[in-house]
Amino acid sequence: MSAPSQPKLASTVLFVRDGEAGLEAYLIRRVKQMAFAGGMTAFPGGGVDPRDLDAEFGWIGPEAGFWADAFSCDERSARALVAAAVRETFEEAGILLATAGRTAVVDTDNDEWEAERQGLLNREHSLSELLERRGLSLRADLVRPWAHWITPEQEPKRYNTSFFLMKLPDGVHPRAISTEHDKAEWVGVHDALAEAQTGVRPMLPPTIATLTDLARFGTADEAMAGAPPRRIQPIQPALVEIDGVLQVRLPDGTLMKPSVRMGPGRSVAD
């Protein structure tokens, strides 16, 4: 039996806000053509850019050691994980969590910044290169560590994913501009869970588990304040087949049935 593949470092970002029905999360539906999790509801996110691992760039907020402790990694990886969270927020929602100081985040809703976003998407430059060239500092103080999932060893495509929580700054709104999803919307956390239960909104277990955690809070401020204060225990599930049904077994023995049929190239850690 071959050894499990090494999981790739990745970041996922949970946008939250206060809505009429309570706490809302910003959810995307990945396009069906995507090899990974096509057609499923998820949060914005993606892999670490290796160019950000050893780069120097402006930084405001908790230093690398804080994030390294939260996600059980070295400081080099921790900085790149935060950078990936910020980059994905910009790439998938048009929001750049960066400033020239402790002022409002930069306004990117114009052609000049759209060209910069496209450059990131096309890998013409890294986030660290963009920040350095623009004289901007990454705002690590605007996000919180939330969860840590690692894809089961049985999966051919594996991720070591750090989940970040973010309450959007005042006056800042996501834009549905990514080609990786065909739908993006604010959904009440409880409504999203109910739709996952009925199969209306297919999700993988980490998404369901994360929404379940968020459902404990009534407001975005409460959720931000409720972010884990210490090291987050990584969750690495196992895939098990019970009575012909593929399920996910969590480390504590809890069984979760994916709300979509798993298959080659589909991971439970996104």
Side-chain angles (χ1 to χ4, degrees):
M1 184 175 180
S2 60
S5 60
Q6 188 68 22
K8 180 180 179 180
L9 287 176
S11 296
T12 289
V13 191
L14 323 174
F15 305 174
V16 293
R17 74 174 187 183
D18 297 329
E20 292 183 4
L23 185 64
E24 295 181 344
Y26 188 71
L27 300 176
I28 62 172
R29 185 176 66 191
R30 297 170 68 88
V31 294
K32 292 183 178 179
Q33 294 80 4
M34 293 192 71
F36 173 72
M40 283 187 279
T41 291
F43 303 105
V48 159
D49 186 338
R51 295 173 292 181
D52 292 331
L53 283 166
D54 297 306
E56 294 294 331
F57 49 92
W59 185 282
I60 296 173
E63 294 297 331
F66 168 83
W67 302 100
D69 185 60
F71 293 121
S72 303
C73 64
D74 57 68
E75 293 189 8
R76 176 173 175 262
S77 297
R79 282 175 59 85
L81 283 166
V82 179
V86 171
R87 190 196 74 242
E88 289 293 332
T89 299
F90 185 34
E91 288 182 357
E92 296 200 32
I95 299 168
L96 181 59
L97 300 180
T99 62
R102 288 186 179 273
T103 57
V105 295
V106 63
D107 180 7
T108 61
D109 191 9
N110 55 60
D111 291 342
E112 180 182 0
W113 276 104
E114 178 59 19
E116 295 281 26
R117 191 183 73 86
Q118 290 295 330
L120 283 174
L121 287 169
N122 297 329
R123 299 299 182 256
E124 296 169 7
H125 53 251
S126 66
L127 177 74
S128 53
E129 291 166 347
L130 171 60
L131 295 175
E132 185 68 17
R133 175 163 46 82
R134 288 280 188 165
L136 298 172
S137 294
L138 177 150
R139 292 294 300 272
D141 59 326
L142 297 179
V143 294
R144 301 286 186 275
W146 189 262
H148 184 179
W149 287 76
I150 302 173
T151 309
E153 292 184 354
Q154 300 99 315
E155 288 283 350
K157 193 171 185 178
R158 303 184 65 221
Y159 293 92
N160 183 342
T161 308
S162 297
F163 283 62
F164 295 81
L165 180 69
M166 178 186 67
K167 175 189 175 185
L168 291 184
D170 291 340
V172 176
H173 305 283
R175 292 181 285 134
I177 50 179
S178 174
T179 58
E180 294 184 358
H181 58 255
D182 57 14
K183 189 174 185 179
E185 59 183 337
W186 289 101
V187 183
V189 170
H190 292 280
D191 292 337
L193 285 169
E195 291 170 350
Q197 184 69 28
T198 61
V200 172
R201 191 181 292 272
M203 300 178 189
L204 291 177
T207 308
I208 297 171
T210 301
L211 287 169
T212 301
D213 286 342
L214 286 172
R216 296 182 292 123
F217 302 97
T219 68
D221 284 337
E222 289 176 3
M224 292 289 282
R230 292 180 295 276
R231 177 168 295 189
I232 298 168
Q233 186 66 34
I235 301 172
Q236 183 172 335
L239 297 182
V240 295
E241 188 171 325
I242 299 176
D243 296 330
V245 178
L246 189 63
Q247 299 193 47
V248 175
R249 184 173 61 205
L250 302 183
D252 66 0
T254 301
L255 291 173
M256 296 182 68
K257 185 188 298 183
S259 61
V260 64
R261 183 176 180 275
M262 304 291 288
R266 287 187 170 179
S267 167
V268 298
D270 180 52

